[in-house]
Amino acid sequence: MDRFLSLKLRTQMMIMILLMAIGSMGVILYSAERQREADFREAAHLSLSLATAVHNDQNVLLSGAEQLLSTLSYVEAVRKRDAAEVNRILAGLLKKSPQISNLLMIAPDGTIWASAVPMAKPINAAERRYFKAALQSGRFSSGEYTIGKVLSKPALSFGYPILDENGKVQDVAVAAFTLTNYEKLLDSRNLPRNTSLLLLDHKGTVLFSNKPRELVGKQDRPDLFAAMKKEDLGSFSAKDINGIQKVMAYHQVYLKGESEPYMYVRAGIDKEWVDKKSSLPLMANISAMAAIVLLTALMALYISKRAILDKVRALREGTQKISAGDLTVRVNDNVAGGELGELGAAFDSMAQQLSVDIERRKRAEAEALAKGEELDRYFNNSLDLLCIADTSGCFRRLNPAWETALGFPLDRLVGQNFLEMVHPDDVAATADAVAVLERNGEIRSFTNRFLHADGSYRSIEWHSVRPDGNIIFGAARDVTDKILAEEEKLQLERQLLHMQKLESLGVLAGGIAHDFNNILMAIMGNAELALMRIDKDSPAVDNLQKIEQASTRAADLARQMLAYSGKGRFVVGNTDLNRLLQEMLHMLELSVSKSAIVRLDLHPSLLQIEADATQIRQVVMNLVINASEALGDGRGFISIKTLSLKCDRSYLKKAWLDVDVPEGDYVCLEVTDTGCGMDSATRSKIFDPFFTTKFTGRGLGMAATLGIVRGHRGAIIVESEPNQGSCFRVLFPAAGSAAELSEAPCSQENWRGHGTLLLVDDEEAVRCIASEMLQQLGFDLLTASDGRTAIELFSANPGIGVVLLDLTMPQMDGERCLVELQKIRPDVKVVMSSGYTEYEVTQKLRGKQLAGFIQKPYKLSALVEALRPIA
């Protein structure tokens, strides 16, 4: 560059003109290339526009053909296969549809029984693709390139299935197209000469070609056909079948319901047309540029002397005088007009401008001082935490908001290394963030915990920048409350999701237990009747007793499943939890490990609870056995404690699935052990059904415990850490009144019934065994498998005294059947039977005046107890 500037001005101008010419030539060549690319895009656009027009025209044509064939399917003559009449109709339609070459009607065996064009002999089209596709899919289907059997000309046919009243294909209506009409479409468009148009079927067979027409029926080149399969539409440059380089565009044509295109449309424009279109502007531009460069050179020689060289000489002489200190010289007097004249005027005002600049600099320094004071006021009054620190981690300046946030005075924080105040778990991440800040110059969002004066930690969210040097500017906010609120929300969402999962499993468990009870009914009943009828000395007695015992254990399992579902309460009343625990103490000591010591700590004035004592015993037993298993073979203590609590919402938030537990007075059962404890993963699954950490067991104990507690509108709080034991606090709503004990009715083994009894149950096994039991008791028996049959039998037999009615039945359940029976006879005696418990059934049928209830599976003795008071 220095060497260039040392040349004479005229030489520099000539070099610049030459460089300008070279640059202009580059621009022209670049523009020509861009124009050539634009011409290629135009050719591709024209090709794609033609392909799209054919695609759209074909879709309109097929839509009309499908509508025509659909209309034909409703013609009475077509339905009756009146060949003569249908031939006449098809011929008339063919005259009105010049784009269709033929219309056919084909029977399911492939025989063409009607044609718009007369057939010389019977023809079968069973092997045609459009026929087979229409039969298989039951919808409008496409064919492929074929030589028509009626016209003996190339055609593309489409089949439409005609369905009978049963939805089966009665016939296939066919429309055939020769596709020659696209010659007119091509001629009507203003396209370059030698533009080609091809239509191909799904196999690549040419259906239509304008140049040359001899390609019809031949296979397309595999590479060209493969290029059209990549996507629905596109363009590419390649040699066509005749070896001519073309810019091609294609469009796939689909039929509704078909996953592959039935036809491909490809249009092409010769590359030679593009090249000619691009070369003419290039030659014209080059010629014009040569003339301009020559004229510019001549003008530059003339202007350089008159407008530049003479004025520069005068300007140089005036500048030498000014540099010598003569500020009175006026250069502009010798250099008139133009930019050089402006330069002379600038020299004239230099001295005056220097004094103005000095004054302006003083003013700017004063303004900067004022702005600094404003920034200080903003820094000190901002509610955000603002700081200036160095990269070594020391605070250099802090605003007063830090004192409010952390509780330390500012003089204690300034000079402090902030890494010493960061929570130990966040030190490494904070150091990494400082490294990122040094490398990238900014950190937009980073959160760590800072020590507060009271010993706690506050979460601080940072936005820091490092413009240059070792200085860091930071802006932060205390987000502790925001993080705690988000964690609380997340915990609530997790609890709600878990509750929904347990609720769904509870519904499933209740349904399984209900059906299980029906099965056990047949097993237990048959075993009981067999024991009554068999000789007491028979060796089968022992087997029957074992069957009865196994059935009883299975019934206990079903009750556990009902308890988990929250539907397991039987007899609810005021219960003294202290008395219940004292009665169970001996049994609990026998149930736990020999190395475990059980301790009772009972509140002296404990409030009573409204509960089912039997299920509360199960809760206590499950918790104590779980505590014993946590102790393992080692020695340890199991503490059982009762107390009265007044629970507010903050305390109930700790409960397992506490969303529906209200505030108020609660009786607390606390079971604590000194065993192995649980980690967070085990605690989250402890109440899941079938979850167990033991090699044996079903995993239903704690799940049933949760179900019982939920059924009593209570809650469970679990506290446990590995190797630190576990504490289960079960909360039951307190009740005010004392427990009322009811005396159980005395059973009478020899009791006999009389009269007619109607047994209603949809389970055949239950009906069979219950019938035998009722006949054993002496009843005349009528049976019904559903509610409607029961109503008919009850209406036809006025002597029916008692109805033993199943609650859960299809079509008409027990509740609806009970209402209809009471309409017929309001004083009818109905004993309801169900696999669910009496509590659930009586709540469901409240106000329906039941005579009694018996829970499945039941024995003969339970049947006597239910029927004796009313039969």
Side-chain angles (χ1 to χ4, degrees):
M1 177 59 72
D2 294 338
R3 185 174 181 181
F4 172 77
L5 296 176
S6 65
L7 297 175
K8 292 184 177 181
L9 181 60
R10 289 184 177 179
T11 305
Q12 293 180 10
M13 292 182 66
M14 296 305 295
I15 293 175
M16 292 175 63
I17 291 173
L18 180 60
L19 292 175
M20 180 188 69
I22 295 173
S24 299
M25 180 63 71
V27 171
I28 291 173
L29 294 176
Y30 174 75
S31 300
E33 182 62 25
R34 293 297 299 272
Q35 181 62 39
R36 186 171 182 273
E37 293 175 358
D39 291 339
F40 267 100
R41 288 195 297 271
E42 181 185 0
H45 173 73
L46 290 174
S47 300
L48 185 59
S49 176
L50 176 58
T52 302
V54 175
H55 168 273
N56 296 338
D57 191 65
Q58 183 67 15
N59 282 340
V60 172
L61 180 62
L62 286 190
S63 178
E66 182 179 7
Q67 184 65 33
L68 175 62
L69 296 180
S70 174
T71 304
L72 281 174
S73 68
Y74 293 99
V75 175
E76 185 66 21
V78 175
R79 292 289 181 177
K80 294 182 177 181
R81 287 194 181 174
D82 186 347
E85 178 63 16
V86 174
N87 283 335
R88 186 187 66 78
I89 294 173
L90 296 183
L93 291 174
L94 185 62
K95 292 179 180 179
K96 297 178 180 179
S97 304
Q99 295 173 322
I100 300 177
S101 60
N102 198 9
L103 294 170
L104 304 172
M105 290 291 171
I106 306 177
D109 61 355
T111 303
I112 300 176
W113 61 268
S115 172
V117 178
M119 296 184 295
K121 59 180 179 179
I123 299 175
N124 190 286
E127 79 283 359
R128 296 303 196 192
R129 181 177 185 266
Y130 60 82
F131 175 74
K132 294 189 287 185
L135 284 180
Q136 292 174 0
S137 65
R139 62 174 176 264
F140 190 59
S141 302
S142 64
E144 58 193 3
Y145 173 84
T146 56
I147 301 298
K149 292 193 173 185
V150 179
L151 295 175
S152 299
K153 294 181 179 179
L156 179 63
S157 301
F158 297 84
Y160 183 87
I162 300 176
L163 307 181
D164 59 15
E165 295 178 352
N166 298 322
K168 295 183 179 179
V169 178
Q170 172 183 317
D171 290 300
V172 176
V174 178
F177 300 87
T178 58
L179 305 179
T180 56
N181 60 302
Y182 288 110
E183 284 279 5
K184 298 179 180 179
L185 175 65
L186 188 62
D187 295 337
S188 66
R189 301 178 71 88
N190 186 19
L191 294 171
R193 184 169 168 267
N194 294 330
T195 299
S196 62
L197 176 65
L198 272 77
L199 276 65
L200 305 99
D201 70 0
H202 69 104
K203 291 183 177 180
T205 305
V206 178
L207 302 171
F208 169 81
S209 172
N210 67 322
K211 293 182 180 180
R213 294 181 176 84
E214 292 77 13
L215 293 177
V216 175
K218 297 182 180 180
Q219 288 296 120
D220 192 19
R221 253 198 3 240
D223 58 330
L224 297 178
F225 188 61
M228 294 191 296
K229 288 186 175 183
K230 295 180 180 179
E231 51 189 352
D232 290 346
L233 73 164
S235 61
F236 59 92
S237 179
K239 291 183 178 180
D240 64 4
I241 299 178
N242 300 317
I244 300 174
Q245 190 73 25
K246 287 181 176 291
V247 179
M248 300 182 182
Y250 66 89
H251 206 308
Q252 299 177 358
V253 186
Y254 285 84
L255 199 61
K256 184 178 181 181
E258 293 185 352
S259 60
E260 294 184 357
Y262 71 86
M263 189 169 73
Y264 296 81
V265 182
R266 186 172 76 226
I269 295 177
D270 290 357
K271 179 177 176 293
E272 182 181 355
W273 174 82
V274 179
D275 293 335
K276 287 182 178 179
K277 187 177 181 182
S278 303
S279 60
L280 292 177
L282 175 62
M283 298 303 298
N285 289 336
I286 292 177
S287 301
M289 189 204 71
I292 292 173
V293 169
L294 179 60
L295 181 61
T296 302
L298 294 175
M299 292 181 64
L301 293 175
Y302 175 77
I303 293 174
S304 62
K305 181 178 183 304
R306 295 295 303 272
I308 300 177
L309 294 178
D310 294 345
K311 292 183 179 182
V312 167
R313 186 181 301 109
L315 184 62
R316 182 176 64 248
E317 293 173 356
T319 304
Q320 291 173 350
K321 293 179 180 180
I322 292 175
S323 63
D326 186 2
L327 298 180
T328 62
V329 174
R330 295 294 178 264
V331 179
N332 196 36
D333 294 341
N334 301 321
V335 182
E339 288 81 2
L340 294 178
E342 294 177 359
L343 181 61
F347 273 100
D348 292 343
S349 61
M350 183 183 303
Q352 181 180 358
Q353 188 64 38
L354 285 174
S355 62
V356 172
D357 288 343
I358 292 172
E359 184 65 25
R360 185 179 299 162
R361 186 180 303 111
K362 291 180 180 179
R363 220 170 23 246
E365 290 176 353
E367 291 176 356
L369 181 60
K371 288 182 179 179
E373 294 176 352
E374 291 179 0
L375 289 175
D376 283 342
R377 283 197 297 271
Y378 166 75
F379 187 87
N380 293 326
N381 295 324
S382 175
L383 297 179
D384 288 336
L385 306 176
L386 304 179
C387 72
I388 301 174
D390 55 36
T391 53
S392 65
C394 290
F395 285 125
R396 291 190 176 183
R397 186 179 179 187
L398 299 166
N399 69 332
W402 283 93
E403 186 172 349
T404 304
L406 299 183
F408 293 107
L410 290 182
D411 55 1
R412 159 77 166 75
L413 296 174
V414 174
Q416 175 82 24
N417 190 310
F418 58 77
L419 288 176
E420 297 176 359
M421 303 184 66
V422 174
H423 192 284
D425 295 341
D426 297 344
V427 170
T430 304
D432 293 341
V434 173
V436 171
L437 181 62
E438 291 182 355
R439 184 169 60 253
N440 299 336
E442 182 178 15
I443 292 182
R444 286 194 172 275
S445 180
F446 173 73
T447 303
N448 57 7
R449 289 167 290 178
F450 261 69
L451 179 66
H452 192 273
D454 61 6
S456 63
Y457 283 89
R458 306 293 294 178
S459 295
I460 306 298
E461 184 178 16
W462 290 88
H463 178 198
S464 302
V465 294
R466 177 176 172 263
D468 53 21
N470 296 324
I471 298 300
I472 298 173
F473 296 95
R477 288 185 178 179
D478 187 345
V479 294
T480 306
D481 295 337
K482 176 182 175 182
I483 291 176
L484 291 177
E486 290 176 352
E487 290 177 351
E488 183 177 345
K489 178 182 177 182
L490 183 61
Q491 177 66 19
L492 182 60
E493 290 175 352
R494 282 198 296 264
Q495 288 184 343
L496 183 58
L497 180 62
H498 197 72
M499 184 187 72
Q500 291 172 344
K501 178 182 71 173
L502 295 181
E503 188 68 26
S504 298
L505 291 173
V507 172
L508 174 63
I512 292 174
H514 172 264
D515 293 339
F516 197 24
N517 281 333
N518 281 335
I519 299 172
L520 290 175
M521 173 77 189
I523 298 173
M524 295 175 65
N526 279 298
E528 186 178 17
L529 289 176
L531 284 170
M532 294 173 60
R533 296 171 181 174
I534 199 170
D535 185 24
K536 302 302 181 185
D537 296 329
S538 172
V541 170
D542 183 56
N543 299 102
L544 291 172
Q545 289 175 344
K546 289 180 179 179
I547 291 174
E548 195 172 30
Q549 292 171 0
S551 301
T552 302
R553 289 197 295 272
D556 291 339
L557 177 59
R559 280 193 290 272
Q560 281 195 7
M561 294 173 73
L562 283 171
Y564 168 69
S565 68
K567 300 177 179 179
R569 287 189 286 178
F570 303 114
V571 180
V572 178
N574 286 356
T575 303
D576 186 346
L577 186 58
N578 283 348
R579 180 178 177 183
L580 184 145
L581 291 172
Q582 289 172 340
E583 294 172 350
M584 291 183 66
L585 180 59
H586 180 67
M587 181 177 61
L588 294 174
E589 290 175 339
L590 295 177
S591 302
V592 301
S593 171
K594 293 182 180 179
S595 58
I597 299 175
V598 179
R599 295 175 175 174
L600 277 184
D601 183 5
L602 305 180
H603 192 278
S605 56
L606 190 68
L607 297 174
Q608 293 186 340
I609 60 176
E610 184 180 357
D612 172 38
T614 301
Q615 291 201 17
I616 300 304
R617 290 189 185 94
Q618 183 178 345
V619 169
V620 175
M621 183 62 71
N622 289 344
L623 291 176
V624 171
I625 291 175
N626 186 69
S628 175
E629 291 171 347
L631 292 175
D633 297 331
R635 292 182 57 83
F637 296 95
I638 300 174
S639 173
I640 305 174
K641 183 179 181 180
T642 62
L643 59 157
S644 295
L645 296 176
K646 190 172 187 63
C647 300
D648 56 13
R649 174 50 50 192
S650 62
Y651 184 76
L652 292 173
K653 282 184 179 180
K654 304 176 184 178
W656 191 267
L657 305 180
D658 66 304
V659 290
D660 291 327
V661 180
E663 297 180 340
D665 294 326
Y666 284 86
V667 173
C668 176
L669 168 65
E670 182 180 282
V671 178
T672 307
D673 65 72
T674 57
C676 60
M678 296 177 288
D679 56 19
S680 59
T682 304
R683 288 197 308 271
S684 66
K685 297 181 179 179
I686 187 172
F687 293 110
D688 288 359
F690 309 111
F691 172 77
T692 179
T693 58
K694 305 182 292 296
F695 291 104
T696 61
R698 295 183 297 270
L700 280 174
M702 297 308 292
T705 297
L706 179 61
I708 293 170
V709 174
R710 289 169 59 200
H712 285 78
R713 304 184 306 279
I716 301 178
I717 297 176
V718 181
E719 296 178 358
S720 182
E721 294 294 337
N723 302 319
Q724 296 184 13
S726 302
C727 176
F728 289 80
R729 293 191 184 92
V730 182
L731 304 175
F732 294 104
S737 58
E740 297 179 1
L741 301 177
S742 58
E743 184 178 353
C746 298
S747 63
Q748 296 185 7
E749 298 180 358
N750 298 325
W751 178 80
R752 301 282 294 175
H754 63 278
T756 302
L757 185 144
L758 174 59
L759 172 64
V760 187
D761 201 298
D762 64 314
E763 292 286 342
E764 183 178 0
V766 175
R767 289 199 309 273
C768 291
I769 188 59
S771 297
E772 288 193 48
M773 289 182 175
L774 293 168
Q775 289 171 353
Q776 181 75 21
L777 293 176
F779 285 100
D780 295 328
L781 192 63
L782 295 174
T783 63
S785 60
D786 58 74
R788 298 189 186 279
T789 304
I791 293 172
E792 293 174 1
L793 288 174
F794 188 77
S795 301
N797 295 273
I800 294 176
V802 179
V803 179
L804 182 56
L805 178 61
D806 185 24
L807 176 63
T808 306
M809 294 184 295
Q811 296 180 358
M812 178 181 285
D813 60 10
E815 182 178 2
R816 289 181 57 196
C817 184
L818 172 63
V819 173
E820 295 299 324
L821 291 175
Q822 290 177 341
K823 289 180 180 179
I824 298 172
R825 192 198 304 166
D827 61 345
V828 60
K829 298 177 180 178
V830 178
V831 177
M832 192 63 71
S833 172
S834 175
Y836 293 117
T837 64
E838 181 177 4
Y839 178 81
E840 291 298 321
V841 174
T842 54
Q843 290 295 315
K844 179 179 179 64
L845 302 179
R846 183 179 297 175
K848 295 294 193 302
Q849 297 179 351
L850 285 176
F853 172 79
I854 185 168
Q855 184 179 5
K856 298 177 183 178
Y858 51 78
K859 294 184 178 181
L860 187 62
S861 57
L863 198 56
V864 170
E865 185 177 347
L867 296 176
R868 186 186 61 81
I870 62 174

